[in-house]
């Protein structure tokens, strides 16, 4: 690391809703009006724990899941996790856009509870096991990286940690392959490091849109980029009826109404919302109620696919993706 950069510092709206005035499934609907993308649901506290336990297969919507962001035996904190970054490179991720990576392809992250002015790391102990600090030694700026933004901060143990725009840089222990970005949005506090030191995020998405999943094909996502699902036990004809009530909703939150003009790539037929028994409004695709899954922690996750043989991702026309007899 050059001394010339060691001291560098940190340089949707309310939506109308749609309701059908005729039987569900007909072509026309009547409008009656009713910085950080891809973040996972914030944890109750700490440095990246996400509540829940996983017991897939019940199909009742009561499945839970655990991802504490830590390794129980600390094996992931081996020397490789704290290796020097070498030449920093700018890579483009489908999930977050441009993000910094080490010479070996490991994604660099920043922590919201740190400070950039002055630079300070607040990730120690178990946190530093899950999020190994990037050493400040032997770092160089690759193409697209401004060397003037690179610096270092002295940690509580006396070691020197790389900073970018004043923000301390970390790896994530669960990133095991070059290009992994599993730490994005963990705990609502951890984000990829953009080349300027800011959080790596994509531009805001429409209320509902689509993405191409490598396994499932074209599926619907919400405004946060989270996968949208349907429940086989729901009804669409002659009107939408949700069978996911009570504790089920804790795991499968409803998608609230989204104006059709705030969608992209979605089919309009059967696009409507309805009133649930508890009085809340829920959006449908092709008249079928739609949901997200609490165990999807970041954009790109499809952990709800096939749960209990009753929950499946949704295609732009509202059909189930990968379900039997579809």
């Amino acid at each position: 690391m050059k001394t010339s950069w060691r001291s560098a510092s940190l340089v949707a709206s309310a939506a109308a809703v749609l309701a059908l005035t005729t039987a569900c499934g007909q072509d026309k609907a009547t409008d009656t009006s009713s910085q950080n993308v891809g973040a996972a649901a914030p944890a109750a506290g700490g440095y990246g724990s996400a509540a829940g336990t996983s017991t897939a297969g019940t199909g009742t919507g009561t499945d839970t899941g655990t991802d504490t962001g830590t390794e129980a035996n600390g094996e992931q904190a081996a020397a490789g996790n704290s290796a020097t970054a070498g030449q920093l490179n700018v890579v483009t991720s489908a999930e977050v856009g441009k993000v910094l990576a080490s010479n070996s392809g490991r994604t660099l992250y920043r922590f919201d509870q740190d400070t950039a002015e002055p630079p300070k790391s607040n990730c120690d102990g178990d946190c530093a096991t899950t999020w190994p600090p990037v050493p400040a030694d032997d770092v160089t700026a690759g193409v697209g990286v401004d060397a003037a933004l690179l610096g270092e901060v002295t940690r509580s143990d006396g070691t020197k940690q790389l900073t970018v725009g004043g923000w301390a840089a970390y790896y994530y222990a669960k990133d095991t392959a070059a290009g992994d970005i599993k730490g994005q949005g963990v705990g609502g506090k951890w984000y990829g490091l953009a080349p300027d030191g800011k959080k790596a995020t994509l531009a805001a998405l429409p209320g509902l849109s689509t993405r191409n999943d490598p396994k499932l094909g074209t599926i619907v996502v919400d405004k946060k980029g989270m996968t949208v699902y349907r429940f086989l036990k729901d009804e669409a004809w002659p009107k939408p009826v949700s069978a996911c009530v009570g504790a089920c909703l804790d795991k499968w939150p409803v998608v609230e109404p989204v104006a059709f003009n705030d969608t992209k790539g979605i089919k309009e037929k059967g696009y409507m919302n309805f009133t649930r028994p508890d009085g809340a409004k829920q959006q449908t695709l092709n008249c079928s109620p739609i949901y997200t899954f609490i165990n999807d922690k970041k954009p790109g996750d499809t952990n709800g696919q096939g749960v209990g043989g009753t929950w499946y991702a949704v295609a732009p026309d509202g059909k189930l993706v990968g379900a039997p007899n579809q």
Side-chain angles (χ1 to χ4, degrees), residues 88-90 100 140-148 150 195:
L88 294 184
N89 300 302
V90 179
L100 290 176
T140 59
V143 176
V145 180
D146 185 354
L150 306 181

Side-chain angles (χ1 to χ4, degrees), residues 122-202:
N122 290 307
C123 178
D124 295 298
D126 289 343
C127 176
T129 298
T130 304
W131 304 92
V134 179
D137 296 333
D138 301 323
V139 177
T140 59
V143 176
V145 180
D146 185 354
L149 293 180
L150 306 181
E152 65 182 30
V153 62
T154 301
R155 296 178 53 78
S156 60
D157 61 4
T159 60
K160 303 293 186 181
Q161 181 176 0
L162 173 69
T163 62
V164 180
W167 290 95
Y170 305 83
Y171 300 123
Y172 184 40
K174 291 190 175 183
D175 286 348
T176 57
D180 280 355
I181 189 164
K182 298 175 183 177
Q184 179 71 7
V186 168
K189 301 174 183 178
W190 292 92
Y191 297 92
L193 254 173
D196 58 2
K198 296 181 180 179
K199 299 176 185 179
T201 59
L202 291 174

Side-chain angles (χ1 to χ4, degrees), residues 230-254:
R230 277 182 48 195
F231 188 27
L232 275 178
K233 296 183 179 181
D234 287 349
E235 297 179 11
W237 181 267
K239 62 181 181 179
V241 177
S242 170
C244 181
V245 296
C248 174
L249 295 174
D250 294 335
K251 306 306 173 187
W252 303 91
V254 305

